[in-house]
Structure formats: structure tokens, C-alpha cells
Amino acid sequence: MKITVQSSKVLKPAYDGSVPSVATNLATPLTMFDKVTYAENVNGVCFFHPPVPSKSSLETGFVKALAAYREWAGRLGVDANGDPCILLNDAGATLVEATADVALSSISPLEQTPDLQSLCQSGGGDNGEEVMVVQITRFACGSFAVANTLHHLVGDGHGMCRFLMAWGNATRGATVDRIPVYDRASIFKPRNPPRVDFEHRGVEFTKPRPEQKARIINRVNCSDTVVVHRVHFTPEMLSELKSQGSAGAARPYSTLQCVAAHLWRCITMARRLDGNMITKLKIPVSGRERMHHPPVPEEYTGNVVLWAQPTTTVRELVASPLRHIVEIVSQEVARINENYFRSFIDFASSGVVEEEGLVPTAALAKAATDRSAAIFVSNMKGVPLYELDFGTGQPLFLFTRSYPPVDGFVFIMPNLSSDGGMDVQVGLFARAMDIFKDYCYSLTTANAKL
């Protein structure tokens, strides 16, 4: 597949006559939730039915959406106090238009391969570069792809999706209401007096150790390749997992928790780890649904995510029935409630992080070696990308990814499957992938060995 870039331009927000003037010297500080997320770009690609919208309608819709969501037209920087922030300078975002010399069907099924990297631009976010780059690729058959590269410090999956949907609406000619740029710091004020009721050292924050720095070097020098496999769970597989995971429970556990527990176990077995090792599953929990006093504004763009971190030994994980693993996951997810979110806000606002030289654990997450026992889940299932529409209906298919792919990173995708199933993208070292597939699709651990 050959991708040819036809044009690339930085587009700035276009305000209509209802906005007489917009200040471009403002800044909104990053919150504690922004600071503890992954400080990197996130890529996603959505594929659509033909025909491709016109160049003018795409550009017009894009600048209208930027006017509604100004943060995506800004830049990362520091404010007058030297604190990290988003500069609301309306510097713009890059829109790339390209063509592919093949039909979309020729690259199906769509797996994460280096060839598909050409559908995405590398993006910026550092050194004054844009925090969003998007690429429209027209295929020879008339289908098209919309690829986005957005910086995670600016927003979570919910915030990213809202911009993309606004762009789709504006491209179709629908009205896009301007969303206020919230003073991020004011939304997450600490309590008076503050109450740190939970431990946040070693959870959201940690103090780097020398061996963690060595892991970064080891990972760079590792000769094995990380590959990505898309697992499709059919409705029958999901039903069986939910039945196994909820056996004996007072009420059924969620499908998501059962799938996450199954993947945790299968990946751990594929890695052939020592039974005494501690293994951890990091699964995101959104504060949008949990914080009510006060609630988070629905249209808020920034990050509002913490992580549940169910933990056990490799031996217990492998030897226990699925229902026990699901119970561990469920209890930990339930623990990350409003009280936990408020405790985190109070801790992060107390000055302890700066005094003790703590750093976000997310900053070290991708430094894991091939012997790491951690698994990181990115749950996109609740992000309504299936509503994205540029005039030809919902996406045919989509994927999100970390590039280059990272061992142990799992993406649970929004439901676009026509059969009602679920798609999950799993990144593993190549030597472990075939073993993982055997366990994952068999839905059993009868032959598990440590």
C-alpha cells in the first residue's frame, strides 16, 4: 500500500459572528489528572463507507470544531507561574489529506502492522508543536480513513471523542455549539480540610528507583519484537466468559470485568512467569461517572481517569477459577469510588508530590521489560466513537494503538461488531503471542503450566 500526501496545512479556529473577539493569550493549567496520565500522543483510525466528503467541507468542519474545542488548537507550555498548562493561543492543528493506491478491502482484515502506520502522522505536543494532527486518506474504492493523533495530556478518550464528533457534525453541516474552556484547576478543588483516606504513593505516584531506569535501557536493547493481535470475542465467547466469571456470585459481573480477568490470566500464562511473581492489572476507572459532589461537566475535555490495580501472584492467577479472578478485579474497581477520587485530589494538591520528588507511575509504565508481570488496559468501549459520522454513517472499523506497540498493553475497543461481539487489541512479544492465542480462544486454563 502506497500512501501519497496531497496536502498538509495548519488550520486555525474559525469563529462566527456571535463571537466578536477571542483572547489568545490565555492559559489553562493542567490538573492532577492530566499530570498522571500518559504524556504521549494517542493514535486512532476510523474507516468509513464512501463517498469521501469534499475537501472544503472537511476543512470547514474542522475549523468550526476547533472553535468549539479551543484546547485542541492550543499548545502545551507553562504559565506565568511556571506550571504546565495548555496555551490557548489558537495556533491551530494540522490537517493532512492523502490517497492510497489500493482498495480498502485489499488491506482487510485490518491488523496493526507497520504498513498501517502510514495512515497516521507522528504528531507533536512538545517544543511548541500542535497537540492534534489528523489525516484523511482516500482509498481507490472510494472508502476513506480518518486518523487522529492527539496528545493525552490535553484530554482523555471522552474528550478526544467529543471533538471528533463535533468535526463530523460540522462537516455534515450541523450546528456545533461552542464549548466553554473550563478553568481546569477550579473543577478539582481540594476539600477543606483535606482528607487523604487512601494510599497514593506507589499507586498514582512513585519515586523512581535505579532499577527502573535500567528497565528503560533494557527495553530499548531487547531483540524481540512486540506484535499486536486483534482478538474478536463472539457473543457466544462473551456469554461463556460471563457464565464462568459469575458462577456462584450474587449477581452477574460485567462482561468487561470478565473479559479483562480472562485476558489478564491468558497474557500472564503466555509470558511463562515464575509463580511467585506479583502480577498487576491496571484498568482505567472514569471519574465522570463517579464524582457527583460536584459533578464533572459533561462537555469537559480534560482527563478524569484513575486506575484500579488488582494484584495477585502469578500462581494464584493461573490456578484459580475465573470467578475468583473476576472477583479480585470487581472489588478493586469498586474501591475506586468518589471518596477515592477526592482523596487523590487532596493528596496531589498537598505539595507532598513536589516535596518528595514523586513522579506519575504512568511515566514508568512503558519502561517494563519482557519479564514484566504488569498488564495495562485502555478501555475504549464506553467512548462513543461508533456515533462518529462524516455523512456516510458510522465507522466500518476502527482501531487505536500505541506506536510502536508495547508489550502488555491492551485496548478494548468500542462495539462496532455486527454480530454483537467485542474486539480487543493485545500487544505482546512475538514469542508469547501464539501461546496467548491458544489460551485466549480456548477459554480454559486446563493445560496451564508455570
Side-chain angles (χ1 to χ4, degrees):
M1 178 176 65
K2 180 181 179 182
I3 302 294
T4 303
V5 173
Q6 303 294 335
S7 66
S8 177
K9 60 179 69 175
V10 176
L11 299 177
K12 299 184 178 184
Y15 300 101
D16 58 30
S18 64
V19 183
S21 63
V22 177
T24 58
N25 60 347
L26 303 178
T28 181
L30 297 182
T31 72
M32 62 286 295
F33 293 103
D34 299 323
K35 294 175 183 177
V36 298
T37 195
Y38 302 110
E40 61 183 20
N41 291 299
V42 177
N43 301 127
V45 186
C46 298
F47 298 86
F48 295 89
H49 289 286
V52 186
S54 68
K55 179 183 178 72
S56 61
S57 63
L58 284 168
E59 290 189 2
T60 299
F62 191 65
V63 296
K64 286 183 177 179
L66 286 177
Y69 292 87
R70 290 189 65 198
E71 286 133 312
W72 295 114
R75 298 290 186 267
L76 295 174
V78 293
D79 60 19
N81 297 320
D83 296 323
C85 70
I86 303 170
L87 303 172
L88 302 175
N89 55 12
D90 286 356
T94 297
L95 175 61
V96 178
E97 296 195 67
T99 56
D101 63 348
V102 298
L104 179 58
S105 59
S106 70
I107 59 173
S108 296
L110 294 166
E111 295 284 356
Q112 279 200 28
T113 63
D115 288 342
L116 291 184
Q117 170 65 8
S118 57
L119 295 175
C120 287
Q121 296 294 314
S122 59
D126 300 318
N127 301 318
E129 298 175 351
E130 52 267 71
V131 296
M132 178 173 63
V133 179
V134 297
Q135 178 173 318
I136 305 290
T137 302
R138 295 169 168 83
F139 289 90
C141 60
S143 300
F144 64 102
V146 178
N148 58 83
T149 302
L150 304 102
H151 205 287
H152 212 326
L153 291 182
V154 178
D156 57 18
H158 180 91
M160 297 175 190
C161 182
R162 289 191 67 89
F163 170 82
L164 294 172
M165 294 199 323
W167 180 22
N169 292 341
T171 299
R172 302 197 319 269
T175 300
V176 177
D177 295 327
R178 188 177 176 208
I179 304 302
V181 176
Y182 291 95
D183 177 1
R184 295 190 174 203
S186 68
I187 294 179
F188 305 114
K189 290 182 178 180
R191 293 170 291 191
N192 187 16
R195 298 197 310 275
V196 180
D197 300 321
F198 298 87
E199 182 57 73
H200 300 283
R201 295 178 184 85
V203 184
E204 291 85 17
F205 298 98
T206 189
K207 195 157 190 174
R209 300 185 302 273
E211 61 266 29
Q212 289 175 313
K213 295 179 181 178
R215 286 178 181 177
I216 299 175
I217 299 174
N218 290 338
R219 186 179 183 278
V220 171
N221 294 332
C222 182
S223 60
D224 200 2
T225 302
V226 178
V227 295
V228 177
H229 175 66
R230 179 167 60 93
V231 179
H232 178 66
F233 289 100
T234 65
E236 293 76 20
M237 293 171 69
L238 294 176
S239 178
E240 176 61 24
L241 283 175
K242 194 164 185 176
S243 175
Q244 290 184 26
S246 303
R251 58 182 178 82
Y253 291 113
S254 72
T255 300
L256 177 62
Q257 291 177 355
C258 294
V259 169
H262 177 65
L263 292 169
W264 184 16
R265 187 163 60 174
C266 291
I267 291 173
T268 301
M269 290 189 294
R271 285 171 161 171
R272 298 298 198 226
L273 302 175
D274 181 88
N276 295 319
M277 287 186 68
I278 299 297
T279 176
K280 179 181 296 184
L281 176 71
K282 291 192 67 172
I283 186 167
V285 178
S286 174
R288 296 176 189 272
E289 291 78 31
R290 285 167 171 76
M291 288 193 286
H292 305 290
H293 304 95
V296 180
E298 181 181 354
E299 63 272 20
Y300 177 67
T301 296
N303 293 279
V304 201
V305 172
L306 295 177
W307 295 272
Q309 301 188 46
T311 303
T312 185
T313 64
V314 170
R315 179 170 286 105
E316 181 181 9
L317 184 71
V318 171
S320 301
L322 184 63
R323 64 177 179 271
H324 177 66
I325 308 307
V326 177
E327 183 178 0
I328 293 175
V329 173
S330 179
Q331 288 178 351
E332 180 61 17
V333 170
R335 192 177 71 88
I336 312 301
N337 55 19
E338 176 157 20
N339 289 335
Y340 188 93
F341 274 86
R342 298 296 173 191
S343 173
F344 166 77
I345 292 171
D346 291 350
F347 178 81
S349 304
S350 67
V352 170
V353 173
E354 295 78 12
E355 291 171 7
E356 298 184 6
L358 304 179
V359 299
T361 54
L364 302 174
K366 293 193 174 183
T369 71
D370 58 334
R371 301 307 294 171
S372 170
I375 296 169
F376 305 86
V377 174
S378 179
N379 176 24
M380 301 295 291
K381 189 171 176 57
V383 178
L385 281 171
Y386 47 80
E387 297 180 9
L388 182 57
D389 184 0
F390 286 87
T392 60
Q394 73 173 33
L396 290 163
F397 181 79
L398 59 87
F399 66 76
T400 185
R401 65 202 165 78
S402 172
Y403 198 90
V406 177
D407 175 61
F409 271 64
V410 174
F411 294 88
I412 298 178
M413 304 304 297
N415 188 10
L416 290 177
S417 174
S418 59
D419 66 0
M422 179 188 295
D423 287 321
V424 179
Q425 295 168 191
V426 178
L428 280 177
F429 283 106
R431 62 176 175 269
M433 185 57 81
D434 286 340
I435 304 171
F436 163 76
K437 291 178 184 178
D438 288 342
Y439 286 131
C440 185
Y441 290 114
S442 69
L443 304 186
T444 180
T445 59
N447 299 316
K449 296 180 181 178
L450 294 177

